[in-house]
């Protein structure tokens, strides 16, 4: 099976085989990680190991804390405003909205304070705005954006410059697919189930000085200060998901680190975008060049509006060829190929072969 699912998504088989080998008897302890006390020294080694590998991979500076949380990136849409809004005299934050997920984050933040969208509305989320288009408030508590919009297939190719206002990034669908200068960010958030493991754990990398402004009505579980004070162990953490993330992080490290992941992501996505560009309009991608995602390639078949019959036929043919997860998100339709770190170049080539063959037979 070639797995193009948008998340939960493919995990490299070598990682799953290692988890399989260790599932009943982890490091001769006679029990599974699933059965281990989260307050034991053995689990502390797993948690600290994952933090250490992540710190090396992303070169995380000392003034940042790493948290492993529950509730998905969705819970963080609330945690961010609850923890940070009070840093602003007007209880206000700036948001950049480039797709479905950043729009959802706005809705949550509006429950707790003022939200200012810092650019003109983007028609159909077909591009990332330029830095010059931003009207930033120097008194905002933070500026929020989504580095890769999974549903729409829109990805930033630059880090927005927000001056002294901390930048909060949702990197759920492109974390660890490229080197990132962590010092440019106040907070980086990412659910694990696309690029760094299985569902259940959400990563938060938080600059220390942003902690301590939490609203008093914030649920304890979402309070960064408490989570940092308890080293992600305020309550029972998603221990197996943290273990699996640790294995994926080691796999990334052993396969060349972030530079190698970045090169591979460009090659894979270019293969698909070239097939689209060279199809004489049979395939079309609504996203402008320069904003096209390396992780989620979205396209329509037979014109920009898409022909749903042909698109369904493509999905059926892809399934018959053992390719799964290519149906576009229900809100936008069309086709979406998610090319996260674990998807190989060869697998991507299979998709491109199908695209070319399908075009020959249907155009
Ligand atoms: N942000 C992005 C960019 C996503 O792709 C997703 C899920 O697909 C989410 C947030 C929500 O994540 P979760 O379902 O883990 O809450």
């Amino acid at each position: 099976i070639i797995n193009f699912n948008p998340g939960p998504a493919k995990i490299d088989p070598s990682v799953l085989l290692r988890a399989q080998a260790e599932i009943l008897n982890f490091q001769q302890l006679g029990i599974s990680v699933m059965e281990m006390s989260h307050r034991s020294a053995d689990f502390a080694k797993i948690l600290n190991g994952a933090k250490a590998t992540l710190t090396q991979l992303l070169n995380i500076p000392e003034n940042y804390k790493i948290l492993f949380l529950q509730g998905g990136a969705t819970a963080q849409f609330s945690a961010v405003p609850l923890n940070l809004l009070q840093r602003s005299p007007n209880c206000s934050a700036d948001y950049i909205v480039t797709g479905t997920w950043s729009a959802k984050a706005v809705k949550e933040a509006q429950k707790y304070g003022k939200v200012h969208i810092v650019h003109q509305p983007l028609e159909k989320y077909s591009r990332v705005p330029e830095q010059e288009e931003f009207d930033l408030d120097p008194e905002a508590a933070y500026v929020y954006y989504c580095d890769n919009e999974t549903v729409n297939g829109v990805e930033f190719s630059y880090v927005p410059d927000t001056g002294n206002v901390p930048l909060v990034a949702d990197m759920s669908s492109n974390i660890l697919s490229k080197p990132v200068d962590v010092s440019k960010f106040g907070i980086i958030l990412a659910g694990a189930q696309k690029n760094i493991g299985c569902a259940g754990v959400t990563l938060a990398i938080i600059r220390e000085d942003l902690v301590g402004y939490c609203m008093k009505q914030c649920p304890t579980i979402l309070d960064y200060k408490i989570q940092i004070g308890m080293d992600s162990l305020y309550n029972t953490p998603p221990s197996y998901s943290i273990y699996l993330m640790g294995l994926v992080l080691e796999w990334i490290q052993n396969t060349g680190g972030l530079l190698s992941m970045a090169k591979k992501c460009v090659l894979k996505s270019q293969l698909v975008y070239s097939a689209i560009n060279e199809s004489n309009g049979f395939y079309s991608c609504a996203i402008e060049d320069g904003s096209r995602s390396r992780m989620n390639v979205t396209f329509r078949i037979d014109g920009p509006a898409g022909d749903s019959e042909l698109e369904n036929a493509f999905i059926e043919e892809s399934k018959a060829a053992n390719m799964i997860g290519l149906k576009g998100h229900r809100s936008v339709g069309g086709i979406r190929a998610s090319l996260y770190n674990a998807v190989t170049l060869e697998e991507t080539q299979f998709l491109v072969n199908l695209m070319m063959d399908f075009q020959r037979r249907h155009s």
Side-chain angles (χ1 to χ4, degrees), residues 71-177:
T74 303
Q76 296 307 307
F77 295 167
S78 307
V80 167
L82 283 164
N83 279 274
L84 299 193
L85 270 175
Q86 292 200 147
R87 295 184 73 257
S88 149
N90 313 315
C91 202
S92 156
D94 280 354
Y95 276 69
I96 301 170
V97 182
T98 52
T100 305
W101 291 109
S102 41
K104 282 199 174 182
V106 164
K107 279 206 167 159
E108 285 305 309
Q110 280 168 335
K111 295 179 183 170
Y112 308 109
K114 290 191 206 110
V115 168
H116 169 224
I117 316 265
V118 300
H119 52 86
Q120 293 300 314
L122 298 165
E123 205 199 328
K124 292 191 178 158
Y125 299 135
S126 58
R127 69 181 181 92
V128 162
E130 312 271 340
Q131 175 76 40
E132 297 73 50
E133 293 176 62
F134 298 144
D135 166 30
L136 298 171
D137 170 8
E139 294 202 317
Y142 58 91
V143 180
Y144 182 101
Y145 83 112
C146 179
D147 202 43
N148 183 69
E149 283 283 359
T150 323
V151 170
N152 314 83
V154 174
E155 186 175 23
F156 275 75
S157 60
Y158 69 97
V159 178
D161 180 358
T162 56
N164 290 329
V165 178
L167 181 61
V168 177
D170 175 1
M171 293 194 188
S172 291
S173 48
N174 65 353
I175 186 108
L176 299 190
S177 68

Side-chain angles (χ1 to χ4, degrees), residues 1-21:
I1 293 290
I2 304 183
N3 186 351
F4 294 108
N5 267 315
K10 186 184 173 189
I11 295 173
D12 189 79
S14 67
V15 170
L16 293 177
L17 281 170
R18 178 158 165 208
Q20 182 189 45

